[in-house]
């Protein structure tokens, strides 16, 4: 099954072209609806696909965490995605997708995998509000296949946060405070969990934030701001102090958004920070090649706040005094 994931180098070249490859998988027939839905996950987050190994039960785990498995000497938590998603399916979870992102490795139990689909991010759409409500925000993007199947991109960052207690109070205790209500950070991310974490970080820092769910929405908002700023004789940078962007987003990804901002003279001198769970060096180098000023991995509020504070002009002595 890992044959599916060969040619990683070729896939890396997709980054920056607004294209992606997703691994399609199934969680089984939901007994409540009688349907077998098709889900997707970005191939960049998949390390391997394998038959489900023996799982060792572990105490005090969330109900959807089946236990732990040993992979190459490391203990990896195993999450039953059907159980996590509230899907009642009777088929066994014989396949495990080993994922790696946000600096964590975990196994996802699924009924089966289908194929790898290559498509343009512009083909991925923001899910309708009804679907978002039905899934509890678990789906970040949707696309329709030629056979009329609907593919739903699962918010695996949300899965990770809610099954490992990543998003807790301890993480926010060391956030750098700058108390600059006159500063506004524009940020975009398709994950509701990530947006909430950014919002909490900015609130703790004492700066304002304007959110968008993808690059296209962010670009449209920035374009409006730039036009307004021009009409009152001010630069856009007087309103937009910094842009924080995810990489993976439907309709327009973070690379394309960065290219558009950096090539537009209206947005000169506005720093762009890439904030992503894709923490590989290839992704960071590509971000730099399109003009990203700095890269910060997700789920590290203190590091994010330190980077934002520095880019917003708070010097090292001030940071030391506030920590």
């Amino acid at each position: 099954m890992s044959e599916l994931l060969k040619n990683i180098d070729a896939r890396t070249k997709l980054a920056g072209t607004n294209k992606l490859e997703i691994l399609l998988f199934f969680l089984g027939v939901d007994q409540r609806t009688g349907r077998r839905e098709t889900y997707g996950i970005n191939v960049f987050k998949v390390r391997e696909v394998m038959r489900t190994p023996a799982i060792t039960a572990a105490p005090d785990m969330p109900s959807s965490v089946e236990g732990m498995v040993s992979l190459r000497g490391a203990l990896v938590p195993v999450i039953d995605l059907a159980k996590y998603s509230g899907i009642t399916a009777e088929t066994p979870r014989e396949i495990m997708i080993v994922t790696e992102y946000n600096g964590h490795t975990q196994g996802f139990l699924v009924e089966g995998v289908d194929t790898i689909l290559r498509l343009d991010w512009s083909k991925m759409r923001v899910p309708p509000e009804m679907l978002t409500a039905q899934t509890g925000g678990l789906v970040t993007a949707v696309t329709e296949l030629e056979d009329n199947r609907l593919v739903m991109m699962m918010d695996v960052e949300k899965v990770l946060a809610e099954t490992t207690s990543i998003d807790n109070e301890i993480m926010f205790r060391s956030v750098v405070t700058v108390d600059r209500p006159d500063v506004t950070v524009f940020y975009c991310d398709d994950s509701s969990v990530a947006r909430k974490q950014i919002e909490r970080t900015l609130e703790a820092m004492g700066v304002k934030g304007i959110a968008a769910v993808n690059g296209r929405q962010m670009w449209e908002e920035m374009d409006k701001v730039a036009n307004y700023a021009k009409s009152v004789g001010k630069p856009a940078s007087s309103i937009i102090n910094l842009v924080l962007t995810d990489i993976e987003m439907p309709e327009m990804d973070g690379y394309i958004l960065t290219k558009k901002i950096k090539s537009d003279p209206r947005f000169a001198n506005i720093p762009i920070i890439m904030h992503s769970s894709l923490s590989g060096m290839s992704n960071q180098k590509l971000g730099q090649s399109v003009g990203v000023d700095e890269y910060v991995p997700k789920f590290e509020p203190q590091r994010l706040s330190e980077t934002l504070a520095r880019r917003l002009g708070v010097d090292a002595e001030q940071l030391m005094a506030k920590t």
Side-chain angles (χ1 to χ4, degrees), residues 32 47 56 73 110 130 138 147 166 188 218 222 241 265 313 323:
R32 299 167 301 180
R47 196 171 78 182
T56 301
V110 301
M130 182 175 68
L138 188 57
D147 60 7
I166 285 179
C188 55
M218 175 60 73
M222 290 182 66
N241 299 101
T323 55

Side-chain angles (χ1 to χ4, degrees), residues 292-305:
V292 167
D293 295 286
E294 204 153 344
Y295 183 100
V296 181
K298 285 186 178 178
F299 297 107
E300 297 186 24
Q302 179 182 354
R303 184 172 170 184
L304 174 61
S305 68

Side-chain angles (χ1 to χ4, degrees), residues 27 67 127 149 181 183 193-194 208 258 264 274:
L27 300 181
R149 272 192 297 164
V183 165
V193 168
K208 293 187 295 185
T258 299
D264 193 321
M274 191 156 273

